[in-house]
């Protein structure tokens, strides 16, 4: 999975986000999705639905800077949610 972030400004360190700032999203992913049967987490766990699910939560945590989420099924196939 890839979460794409974008901002018109960089922080004082020259980043859109420092990795420490996005730990809460990783923590939510670990708690909610890691080692879980996705059918127990959401009604239709397609890659597209999963990308939207992650996008919506990441946007709640980080705000407007979340642009897109891409979920890979294989190295050559993926679904991307970019509202």
């Amino acid at each position: 999975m890839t979460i794409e972030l974008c901002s018109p400004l960089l922080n004082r360190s020259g980043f859109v986000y420092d990795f420490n700032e996005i730990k809460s999203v990783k923590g939510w992913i670990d708690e909610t999705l890691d080692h879980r049967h996705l059918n127990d987490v959401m009604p239709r766990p397609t890659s597209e639905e999963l990308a939207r699910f992650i996008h919506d939560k990441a946007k709640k945590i980080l705000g407007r800077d979340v642009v897109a989420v891409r979920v890979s099924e294989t190295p050559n196939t993926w679904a991307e949610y970019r509202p």
Side-chain angles (χ1 to χ4, degrees), residues 10-48:
L10 301 179
N11 66 18
R12 284 188 258 153
S13 300
F15 299 114
V16 172
Y17 279 89
D18 185 280
F19 283 121
N20 285 324
E21 295 176 287
I22 59 174
K23 280 185 180 178
S24 57
V25 174
K26 183 188 179 313
W28 174 81
I29 290 167
D30 290 346
E31 290 174 18
T32 307
L33 303 172
D34 192 32
H35 291 90
R36 301 275 309 271
H37 194 290
L38 294 179
N39 285 320
D40 296 335
V41 176
M42 52 193 306
R44 290 179 312 219
T46 64
S47 294
E48 293 84 355

Side-chain angles (χ1 to χ4, degrees), residues 63-82:
R64 62 179 172 77
D65 297 333
V66 178
V67 174
V69 172
R70 178 183 283 196
V71 174
S72 296
E73 295 180 8
T74 71
N76 298 319
T77 61
W78 61 86
E80 182 174 276
Y81 181 70
R82 181 182 297 269

Side-chain angles (χ1 to χ4, degrees), residues 50-68:
L50 186 57
R52 180 172 62 177
F53 180 67
I54 294 166
H55 172 276
D56 292 350
K57 184 62 175 187
K59 193 161 187 98
K60 284 181 185 175
I61 294 171
L62 297 175
R64 62 179 172 77
D65 297 333
V66 178
V67 174

